[in-house]
């Protein structure tokens, strides 16, 4: 990738204070870049900090430490007119289509909200633009006067997409946009997003817990575990030769759409539960469940390093200084 | 969509067997407009017989409170001592009280006072309660903590003591009663709104508005308050009768509006003296009944 960086996340941390003297490390020192026009997939099981990462990037949460730079600007420090510009350029699609639309507002009001805030499309143009957007996302302009409860989950998600498109964004954070939908509708929404990306030259941060779907849409994928990024590479590479044991386990959990293979294939069954992010394990956070855990894993935190060109991993198995086998 | 349907239809059925539905049988779902919110509300209200009856009664009561005192030539304070304690008759439609005042005029004059107190208390409670609860819930954290502890302290004050104290300081009267009723009345509303706002402010549509650059005031006005309006309205409707009862109760104890001003509470109290002869005598029963 020689394209220019659109978003740079450097050593981002987000810690929440829970109770007295307890800190929940939702995101603990992650770094990645997103290039213009690409789709960056972020996967990991629930509670690993994917959504927190997304929300911290868009400044819904203040980061505890680290930097998020959009087009070279520090996101947390953007104020005033630039802030409005940022709000227009960076948009978000939410997870739950039943909670992301205000039940008291009809579709036109939902979609038009961003245009009203930024005073784009005044007067007659507003209605025209709303109809246009509805058609772009595969709905009809007659739907504009209806209320969210009259739509199905997939349709609502389309309304949510139209809302984020209304302000002509460059970068969209899709926070598990498909995990609340059923499989057939998932494909529709993902394909819609892919088409929109081509038409509007969008960049996506696609957050999901379904590796198969992420592979379908993403150019590069980051795998998260317990607030840490454990592996990051292009989606082909990740499938062809996953390095981190956790990625291996995730990949082996993808079902094969063929019953005879599915019955006989070997799955790596992961032991135990995710440790609490309030009290994470010492050293490598994955060591308590890792099939290949070594002594060093409990003593030292693995370094985030480039194992192969463009292929980053944080694991002692691939550290030259460690006792690699 | 069209091409997809063809692919998924069973291949054994040739395409030419699919015939378009005749025009008159087609249902154009696109033309069905969604019910507007208020039309929906009105429809539901009028389909409920009891609710409609209640609405009619309230309207009648309000009309009578406005025009009632003007229907007779008596005023609420004019006396004719010779005709005290009469039964309902042609000149005095509900009879007269101990002091020879027309009960009909006083009942409707009292309705004005009572309804005014009820509405004023509800409106003040609405304004203070929604603002206070809204700020507390929306800011959250330490602000919320401090504001809610203040509420807890106010909640702990014995109500009657506060009222008596206020009467001593400000002197009895309509204004004092309204102050007395609203000084603690907004607490319930504030708690209710705070709870709702606390729950709604992390809703995804609120986050979406924030991501779009929506200001705090926009989020509160367009997202939080409309979605809290249900419980707020219910709470207000319960406030009005309870304020009216509280006024009646205070007036009954002699802490409320002062003679010769009438309210339903003072009238019931005044009539207690003439209650002896017949149980359910007119002076007592009328104000109580309309209460």
């Amino acid at each position: 990738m020689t394209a220019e960086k659109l978003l740079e996340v450097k050593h981002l941390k987000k810690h929440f204070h829970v109770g007295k003297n307890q800190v929940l490390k939702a995101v603990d020192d992650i770094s990645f870049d997103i290039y213009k026009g690409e789709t960056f997939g972020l996967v990991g099981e629930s509670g690993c900090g994917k959504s927190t990462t997304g929300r911290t990037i868009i400044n819904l949460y203040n980061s505890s430490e680290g930097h998020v730079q959009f087009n070279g600007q520090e996101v947390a420090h953007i104020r005033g007119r630039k802030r409005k510009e940022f709000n227009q350029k960076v948009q978000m699609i939410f997870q739950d289509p039943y909670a992301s639309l205000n039940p008291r507002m009809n579709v036109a009001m939902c979609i038009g909200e961003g245009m009203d805030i930024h005073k784009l499309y005044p007067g007659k143009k507003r209605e025209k633009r709303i109809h246009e957007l509805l058609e772009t996302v595969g709905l009809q302009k007659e739907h504009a006067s209806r209320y969210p409860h009259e739509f199905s989950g997939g349709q609502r998600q389309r309304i949510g997409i139209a809302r984020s498109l209304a302000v002509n964004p460059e970068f969209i954070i899709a926070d598990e946009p498909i995990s609340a939908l059923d499989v057939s509708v998932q494909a529709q929404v993902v394909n819609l997003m892919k088409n929109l990306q081509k038409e509007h030259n969008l960049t996506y941060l696609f957050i999901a817990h379904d590796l198969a779907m992420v592979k379908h849409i993403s150019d590069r994928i980051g795998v998260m575990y317990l607030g840490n990024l454990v592996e990051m590479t292009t989606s082909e590479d990740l499938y062809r030769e996953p390095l981190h044991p956790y990625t291996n386990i995730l990949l082996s959990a993808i079902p094969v759409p063929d019953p005879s293979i599915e019955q006989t294939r070997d799955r790596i069954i992961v032991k135990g539960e995710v440790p609490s992010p309030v009290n994470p394990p010492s050293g490598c956070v994955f060591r308590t469940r890792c099939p290949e855990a070594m002594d060093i894993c409990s003593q030292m935190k693995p370094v985030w390093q480039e194992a192969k060109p463009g292929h980053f991993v944080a694991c002692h198995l691939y550290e030259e200084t460690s006792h690699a086998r | 969509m069209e091409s997809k349907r063809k692919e998924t239809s069973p291949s054994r059925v040739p395409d030419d067997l699919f015939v378009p539905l005749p025009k008159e049988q087609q249902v154009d779902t696109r033309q069905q407009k969604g019910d507007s919110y208020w039309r929906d509300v009105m429809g539901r209200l009028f389909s409920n017989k009891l609710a409609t009856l209640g609405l009619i009664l309230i309207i009648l009561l309000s009309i009578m409170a406005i025009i009632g005192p003007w229907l007779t030539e008596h005023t609420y304070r004019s006396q004719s001592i010779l005709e005290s304690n009469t039964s309902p008759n042609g000149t005095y439609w509900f009879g007269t009280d101990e002091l020879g005042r027309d009960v009909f005029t006083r009942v409707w004059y009292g309705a004005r006072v009572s309804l005014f107190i009820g509405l004023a208390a509800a409106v003040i409670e609405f304004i203070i309660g929604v603002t206070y609860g809204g700020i507390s819930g929306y800011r959250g954290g330490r602000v919320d903590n401090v504001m809610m502890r203040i509420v807890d302290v106010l909640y702990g004050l014995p109500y009657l003591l506060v009222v008596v104290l206020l009467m001593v300081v400000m002197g009895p009267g309509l204004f004092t009663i309204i102050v007395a009723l609203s000084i603690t009345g907004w607490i319930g509303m504030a708690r209710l709104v705070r709870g709702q706002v606390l729950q709604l402010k992390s809703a995804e549509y609120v986050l979406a508005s924030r991501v779009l650059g929506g200001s705090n005031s926009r989020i509160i006005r367009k997202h939080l308050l409309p979605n809290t309006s249900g419980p707020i309205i219910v709470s207000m409707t319960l406030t009005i009768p309870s304020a009216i009862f509280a006024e009646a109760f205070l007036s009954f104890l002699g802490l409320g509006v002062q003679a010769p001003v009438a309210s339903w509470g003072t009238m019931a109290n005044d009539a207690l003296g003439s209650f002896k002869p017949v149980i359910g005598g007119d002076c007592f029963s009328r104000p109580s009944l309309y209460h």
Side-chain angles (χ1 to χ4, degrees):
Chain A
M1 283 270 179
T2 49
E4 57 180 304
K5 280 180 193 171
L6 186 70
L7 185 88
E8 241 184 306
V9 177
K10 280 189 246 168
H11 303 289
L12 183 70
K13 288 186 188 177
K14 176 65 198 172
H15 296 176
F16 293 102
H17 294 275
V18 283
K20 276 185 185 165
N21 307 324
Q22 275 197 319
V23 175
L24 188 150
K25 296 179 177 173
V27 177
D28 200 21
D29 199 352
I30 66 171
S31 307
F32 59 88
D33 299 331
I34 297 179
Y35 300 99
K36 225 170 199 157
E38 77 165 347
T39 301
F40 185 83
L42 204 54
V43 285
E45 55 200 293
S46 37
C48 74
K50 313 179 294 281
S51 294
T52 310
T53 307
R55 289 181 178 186
T56 312
I57 289 174
I58 206 164
N59 218 21
L60 275 176
Y61 299 149
N62 296 322
S63 62
S64 308
E65 251 179 72
H67 305 276
V68 179
Q69 291 183 345
F70 180 75
N71 267 338
Q73 281 175 309
E74 187 71 33
V75 167
H77 299 156
I78 303 176
R79 292 272 178 277
R81 212 162 50 85
K82 291 267 181 192
R83 177 94 237 160
K84 286 223 149 183
E85 219 170 85
F86 174 79
N87 284 332
Q88 220 177 307
K89 281 184 180 163
V90 184
Q91 271 306 306
M92 196 156 182
I93 298 171
F94 289 90
Q95 175 176 8
D96 184 356
Y98 292 90
S100 60
L101 300 173
N102 186 342
R104 294 291 165 114
M105 286 163 85
N106 68 21
V107 172
M109 287 154 80
C110 282
I111 296 177
E113 188 172 12
M115 302 185 213
D116 296 343
I117 291 171
H118 297 288
K119 302 191 176 66
L120 312 162
Y121 308 102
K124 273 258 155 74
K125 281 192 202 155
R126 181 178 183 272
E127 198 187 336
K128 201 172 147 245
R129 170 79 175 154
I130 288 170
H131 291 169
E132 228 173 72
L133 282 164
L134 280 172
E135 274 159 16
T136 315
V137 297
L139 295 170
Q140 285 141 359
K141 63 175 187 233
E142 287 79 5
H143 288 147
S145 59
R146 297 206 190 165
Y147 283 82
H149 68 86
E150 298 173 62
F151 294 92
S152 69
Q155 286 175 314
R156 284 164 174 236
Q157 200 58 290
R158 287 166 191 269
I159 296 168
I161 293 173
R163 171 176 59 193
S164 59
L165 286 179
V167 290
N168 301 318
E170 288 176 17
F171 178 51
I172 293 183
I173 297 174
D175 184 3
E176 306 207 33
I178 51 165
S179 46
L181 307 174
D182 40 278
V183 182
S184 56
V185 184
Q186 281 186 359
Q188 289 177 11
V189 171
V190 165
N191 288 333
L192 170 68
M193 287 180 66
K194 273 186 129 176
N195 292 338
L196 290 173
Q197 181 170 36
K198 259 181 248 157
E199 282 168 40
H200 300 270
N201 194 23
L202 297 169
T203 309
Y204 286 137
L205 169 62
F206 193 90
I207 299 171
H209 53 238
D210 176 355
L211 249 184
M213 201 49 101
V214 171
K215 180 191 186 270
H216 177 66
I217 191 168
S218 306
D219 300 306
R220 291 188 308 135
I221 296 178
V223 181
M224 275 186 84
Y225 182 80
L226 210 66
N228 289 265
L229 212 49
V230 295
E231 186 165 1
M232 178 176 81
T233 181
T234 61
S235 51
E236 294 87 42
D237 248 18
L238 192 82
Y239 272 77
R240 212 164 348 108
E241 43 177 348
L243 296 180
H244 200 281
Y246 182 60
T247 318
N248 261 316
I249 290 167
L250 280 186
L251 285 172
S252 98
I254 299 176
V256 182
D258 180 341
S260 54
I261 302 176
E262 179 65 28
Q263 269 170 13
T264 53
R265 80 193 174 96
D266 282 331
R267 280 192 53 186
I268 312 169
I269 307 293
V270 68
K271 332 166 265 199
E273 292 291 321
V274 190
S276 159
V278 175
N279 187 18
S282 63
C284 172
V285 283
F286 188 57
R287 70 170 165 88
T288 51
R289 305 169 79 191
C290 184
E292 321 213 18
M294 300 173 293
D295 291 341
I296 189 171
C297 297
S298 62
Q299 292 151 14
M300 270 172 65
K301 202 166 174 147
V303 184
W304 181 241
Q305 55 173 7
E306 197 163 10
K308 268 181 265 168
H311 196 150
F312 293 84
V313 70
C315 181
H316 286 299
L317 287 175
Y318 305 99
E319 275 178 28
E320 278 149 29
T321 50
S322 72
H323 325 282
R325 293 179 297 171
Chain B
M1 289 301 270
E2 214 74 274
S3 61
K4 228 176 210 166
R5 200 166 296 147
K6 265 179 203 156
E7 280 166 29
T8 50
S9 66
S11 51
R12 269 160 283 149
V13 185
D15 276 352
D16 49 272
L17 276 181
F18 288 98
V19 183
L21 203 64
K23 253 264 148 57
E24 57 272 19
Q25 283 184 36
Q26 285 179 7
V27 182
D28 195 352
T29 51
R30 293 173 306 169
Q31 291 308 315
Q32 295 173 354
K33 280 221 164 159
D35 262 355
S36 96
Y37 181 68
W38 280 109
R39 202 185 308 157
D40 194 35
V41 168
M42 286 306 168
R44 263 186 300 168
L45 177 68
F46 289 118
S47 67
N48 184 340
K49 286 208 180 75
L50 273 178
T52 317
L53 186 71
L55 186 71
I56 292 170
L57 277 179
I58 286 174
I59 292 172
L60 276 181
L61 208 61
S62 315
I63 292 174
M64 281 310 285
I66 294 166
I67 63 167
W70 287 327
L71 292 179
T72 61
E73 67 261 37
H74 317 285
T75 67
Y76 73 95
R77 56 191 304 174
S78 64
Q79 288 170 289
S80 67
I81 306 290
L82 292 175
E83 293 173 292
S84 68
N85 284 330
T86 56
S87 295
N89 56 47
T91 20
Y92 301 108
W93 296 343
F94 284 177
T96 57
D97 66 4
E98 221 176 353
L99 299 170
R101 296 175 294 198
D102 180 34
V103 174
F104 182 83
T105 314
R106 283 175 68 77
V107 162
W108 297 119
Y109 186 83
R112 282 184 185 178
V113 173
S114 292
L115 288 177
F116 174 73
I117 288 174
L119 278 175
V123 168
I124 292 173
E125 177 184 314
F126 171 78
I127 293 171
I128 301 180
V130 169
T131 317
Y132 195 93
I135 293 173
S136 178
Y138 192 71
R139 301 307 301 171
R142 189 163 293 167
V143 176
D144 178 40
N145 244 328
V146 171
M147 287 178 89
M148 279 301 121
R149 291 302 80 74
I150 293 172
V151 159
D152 289 346
V153 169
L154 279 177
Y155 201 68
L157 291 178
Y159 171 65
L160 215 54
L161 207 68
V162 174
V163 175
V164 172
L165 200 71
L166 270 175
M167 293 297 167
V168 172
V169 176
M170 301 171 67
L174 200 60
F175 180 68
T176 317
I177 286 208
I178 293 174
V179 171
L181 288 178
S182 35
I183 206 160
T184 50
W186 55 272
I187 284 174
M189 179 71 88
R191 285 196 167 149
L192 182 94
V193 172
R194 169 189 174 259
Q196 290 281 318
V197 167
L198 220 48
Q199 182 196 354
L200 289 174
K201 72 171 176 179
S202 56
E204 286 189 341
Y205 56 82
V206 174
L207 296 183
S209 180
R210 188 165 303 157
V211 163
L212 282 163
S215 59
N216 285 342
S217 94
R218 183 189 179 87
I219 288 169
I220 291 173
R221 274 183 300 113
K222 297 264 175 174
H223 295 287
L224 297 181
L225 287 186
N227 284 292
T228 321
S229 61
I232 290 178
I233 289 169
V234 170
S235 164
M236 271 181 81
T237 55
L238 294 176
T239 303
I240 296 176
S242 75
I244 293 175
F245 277 118
E247 182 275 330
F249 165 68
L250 291 175
S251 298
F252 189 81
L253 291 180
L255 293 168
V257 292
Q258 296 300 297
V261 175
S263 82
W264 287 341
T266 50
M267 289 179 72
N269 187 24
D270 290 347
L272 204 58
S274 51
F275 191 34
K276 312 159 274 183
V278 202
I279 292 183
D282 295 315
C283 297
F284 183 72
S285 62
R286 298 284 175 198
S288 311
L289 193 67
Y290 288 99
H291 208 151

